[in-house]
Amino acid sequence: MPLPLAVSLDSVESFALTWLPIVFMGLIVLLIGVTLRHMPRTKPQEIKPESSESIEWGDVAGVEEAKDELREVVEFLRDPKRFRKLGAKVPKGILLHGPPGTGKTLLAKAVAHESKAKFFAQSASSFVEMFAGLGAARIRRLFRAARKARPAIIFIDELDAVGATRGKDISGEKDQTLNQLLVEMDGFAGADDLVVIAASNLLDKLDPALLRPGRFDRQIFVSPPDLKGREEILRVHSRNKPLHGVDLDLVARQTSGLTGADLANICNEAAIFAGRQRRDVVLMADFEGALERVVAGMQSRRVISDHEKRVVANHEAGHALCSEVLDSVERVHKISIIPRGRALGYTLNLPEEDRYLKSKDELSDYLVVLLAGRVAEHVVFGAITTGASDDLKKVYEISRSMVAEYGMGTGLKSRRLPADDFSMSDATRREMDVEQEHLTEQAYRRALAIIMENRPLLDELAHTLLENEVLDRTEIERIVAVHRGRPFVVSPAPGVGPRIAAAERLRPEEAE
Ligand code: ADP
Ligand code: MG
Ligand code: ZN
């Protein structure tokens, strides 16, 4: 029997009216629950000291100056009474600054371990929360917890994340966090057995308020390691690796400018290379492979034409030849025409030692070496390519610094102005341009003269390079020795002599 239509509609309506609101309420409750669960907690777990990994002084190498300064801090934390009796004031804020990967975090951990103080480590980026005020609250809690646990070290890593100059942060969150940090640091006296260590990559960017007396007033620069330091770091990171006939000194020589983190990476890559070969020792060849991978980027699979290869070979041979001929330039350790990263080839010069002072002659010679690649291309093929762009950029920068920073031009005695100082007069600007051009010009002529006069050696280097793709020091020496019958011709200072005049005719500006 069919139900009357009106009745059925009625019952549906009353059903909906009773249940829909309930279902709706349920959904809302569920939604609120889910949202709450995803909100950041304002009341996180109690801040506890880190059970620091046992990093010892011996694990940090090549940063002796920083270690010496930090040893004082360690001594104080170990026996604060001894220092306080003498009326010594204790450092309270220490800022480790230097390029990434130089071992700042590592140093802080070593201080914690060696001093046996409680170690509270936080990365400043973790203070920067989505919601205003949370970062500041975290700082407050961090200091409260550390104060209870004295003697203690608070370590704030990556201080740049909150320490940048105030007023640049739209939300104001970083500024609040930074202000709180300043308040906390002012709030405890040096006698508190509490030391705050922070790490930063760039001192310049930090808010000056952080560096005032009573805050991070002890600043320690952690520099990339020098030759000896690099060797020590390599030794630290290959301690647990079965090396066989590996000359770590040579590896150190080839890694000028690299940081501790890079060197650790090289040691690890070398072990991986050995592992892939199923060997149970790590050989020099593994280190060479690792070095090439880390230093010059992965070997590219790009195919280059024979002609390109010949151009590159002559270009690199030009660099190498001038390096060999000029005494002040470092010996060539390796030439390669196997493309890596962006470069189609490279010439690796090895310094005898790390040097901090360079003379004008040395810089001028270096300009010659840099220009020699392009000059060789031009002499051999009568045409120049884009391959020299990096060299030319360096030539520009060095010659610019020589004139603008080191006062090594001829006319300017000791002017020291940044190259793009707006207050510089047009006349000075022009004068500097002329000086710079003069330096570059001289270097170009000298490169040209050297290459023209040692052409057989250039050809031999390029030829052997084409065959072997890579030349190492012994091969370079062998080739040079063959040509020793004819001594190197080093041209006299440019500007005089028929030889130079002849050479000048080949300058590309005139050929084009
Ligand atoms: P930073 O904090 O300065 O960026 P880290 O301390 O985080 O550098 O260094 C990263 C890694 O690189 C370390 O864990 C360590 O393996 C290695 N390392 C860096 N510097 C050194 C050093 N001076 N001695 C030994 N190892 C180092
Ligand atoms: Mg770090
Ligand atoms: Zn080059």
Side-chain angles (χ1 to χ4, degrees):
M1 189 170 91
L3 278 170
L5 193 59
V7 173
S8 95
L9 263 181
D10 252 11
S11 68
V12 168
E13 194 179 310
S14 72
F15 178 85
L17 277 176
T18 19
W19 287 104
L20 256 184
I22 294 176
V23 171
F24 210 70
M25 286 281 282
L27 274 177
I28 287 174
V29 169
L30 198 74
L31 204 75
I32 290 175
V34 169
T35 315
L36 278 181
R37 182 149 345 129
H38 283 92
M39 293 263 277
R41 283 154 211 257
T42 35
K43 270 229 175 308
Q45 325 76 310
E46 194 53 36
I47 294 178
K48 288 201 204 86
E50 266 188 24
S51 50
S52 64
E53 313 141 62
S54 42
I55 305 281
E56 295 165 14
W57 281 135
D59 297 325
V60 195
V63 283
E64 284 314 313
E65 282 160 52
K67 266 162 82 174
D68 281 345
E69 294 212 37
L70 288 170
R71 273 200 192 95
E72 276 175 36
V73 179
V74 168
E75 279 196 35
F76 170 78
L77 284 169
R78 272 192 174 166
D79 188 6
K81 275 188 226 121
R82 176 156 63 100
F83 287 85
R84 230 175 282 139
K85 257 189 282 177
L86 296 166
K89 257 185 78 187
V90 178
K92 87 183 187 187
I94 296 164
L95 182 66
L96 302 173
H97 64 104
T102 44
K104 299 181 291 296
T105 308
L106 207 61
L107 275 167
K109 285 181 179 166
V111 170
H113 176 78
E114 298 282 344
S115 67
K116 305 197 171 58
K118 299 268 174 12
F119 190 57
F120 294 82
Q122 291 264 296
S123 171
S125 53
S126 74
F127 293 132
V128 188
E129 301 266 356
M130 244 187 313
F131 293 90
L134 287 194
R138 272 190 178 213
I139 295 255
R140 220 175 298 128
R141 273 204 315 275
L142 177 65
F143 274 77
R144 201 187 306 135
R147 227 173 267 148
K148 272 192 214 147
R150 285 169 316 181
I153 295 173
I154 294 179
F155 176 52
I156 303 177
D157 209 350
E158 329 261 332
L159 183 64
D160 317 64
V162 293
T165 317
R166 275 170 293 183
K168 289 199 179 138
D169 165 29
I170 303 168
S171 69
E173 166 63 3
K174 282 185 199 174
D175 292 1
Q176 273 195 41
T177 311
L178 177 56
N179 282 334
Q180 188 61 40
L181 177 62
L182 296 175
V183 167
E184 295 289 345
M185 290 206 64
D186 291 340
F188 73 92
D192 257 2
D193 310 0
L194 180 61
V195 173
V196 186
I197 302 180
S200 154
N201 293 334
L202 256 185
L203 200 56
D204 297 350
K205 276 208 192 142
L206 289 183
D207 195 301
L210 277 168
L211 310 178
R212 295 230 179 88
R215 292 168 182 166
F216 291 106
D217 49 4
R218 178 94 64 105
Q219 290 137 26
I220 302 179
F221 179 55
V222 188
S223 73
D226 63 4
L227 178 61
K228 189 165 145 279
R230 290 197 299 274
E231 193 184 338
E232 280 164 15
I233 294 175
L234 287 167
R235 198 143 281 143
V236 165
H237 286 281
S238 48
R239 265 193 311 222
N240 58 352
K241 300 183 176 66
L243 302 194
H244 190 267
V246 176
D247 183 357
L248 288 181
D249 174 62
L250 185 61
V251 180
R253 275 176 195 281
Q254 296 176 57
T255 44
S256 175
L258 296 198
T259 62
D262 298 325
L263 296 170
N265 194 6
I266 286 175
C267 290
N268 188 46
E269 287 280 341
I272 291 174
F273 265 78
R276 260 202 253 132
Q277 314 275 325
R278 303 191 180 282
R279 262 188 274 106
D280 42 14
V281 287
V282 184
L283 304 176
M284 192 63 188
D286 299 321
F287 269 87
E288 261 156 24
L291 209 71
E292 265 160 34
R293 176 181 278 188
V294 173
V295 173
M298 285 286 276
Q299 193 164 328
S300 103
R301 298 254 169 268
R302 200 146 58 103
V303 187
I304 58 169
S305 74
D306 277 353
H307 177 70
E308 277 175 320
K309 233 175 174 167
R310 272 179 31 229
V311 173
V312 176
N314 278 282
H315 178 108
E316 300 304 332
H319 286 311
L321 170 63
C322 285
S323 310
E324 289 297 307
V325 169
L326 295 171
D327 273 337
S328 82
V329 180
E330 287 110 25
R331 302 298 79 161
V332 181
H333 176 69
K334 189 174 187 178
I335 326 175
S336 161
I337 54 165
I338 299 171
R340 284 215 174 75
R342 225 158 46 87
L344 290 177
Y346 62 84
T347 302
L348 201 60
N349 291 57
L350 277 195
E352 303 293 329
E353 64 199 58
D354 282 8
R355 300 269 309 279
Y356 299 102
L357 276 179
K358 296 231 180 253
S359 68
K360 179 178 175 181
D361 285 346
E362 283 169 323
L363 286 175
S364 305
D365 285 355
Y366 188 48
L367 292 182
V368 174
V369 170
L370 285 172
L371 286 168
R374 158 155 291 193
V375 173
E377 283 181 43
H378 186 243
V379 168
V380 175
F381 298 97
I384 51 176
T385 67
T386 53
S389 67
D390 274 354
D391 298 334
L392 296 179
K393 212 169 111 213
K394 274 193 209 146
V395 167
Y396 180 85
E397 282 162 7
I398 292 170
S399 57
R400 193 74 192 167
S401 306
M402 284 174 77
V403 173
E405 282 175 45
Y406 315 138
M408 285 176 176
T410 44
L412 299 160
K413 290 290 176 296
S414 60
R415 216 188 280 273
R416 203 195 163 287
L417 284 174
D420 53 356
D421 190 335
F422 290 112
S423 64
M424 195 190 291
S425 75
D426 275 353
T428 312
R429 212 181 286 275
R430 212 171 305 124
E431 197 183 341
M432 290 174 96
D433 284 345
V434 170
E435 292 275 359
Q436 191 184 355
E437 203 184 306
H438 180 67
L439 285 173
T440 317
E441 187 76 32
Q442 267 191 329
Y444 196 99
R445 291 184 197 187
R446 287 175 62 208
L448 190 53
I450 291 174
I451 284 176
M452 300 275 287
E453 285 153 6
N454 297 283
R455 183 66 195 270
L457 181 49
L458 178 86
D459 290 344
E460 178 76 20
L461 282 169
H463 175 75
T464 323
L465 192 51
L466 267 177
E467 278 188 349
N468 303 359
E469 299 212 322
V470 179
L471 292 185
D472 62 17
R473 181 72 212 156
T474 37
E475 282 161 309
I476 296 167
E477 263 171 17
R478 188 185 56 75
I479 296 169
V480 171
V482 169
H483 288 257
R484 200 157 277 164
R486 269 159 300 166
F488 289 137
V489 185
V490 186
S491 291
V496 280
R499 205 197 288 128
I500 304 290
E504 261 190 87
R505 256 182 264 125
L506 267 158
R507 283 170 48 211
E509 290 90 332
E510 287 164 25
E512 277 159 14

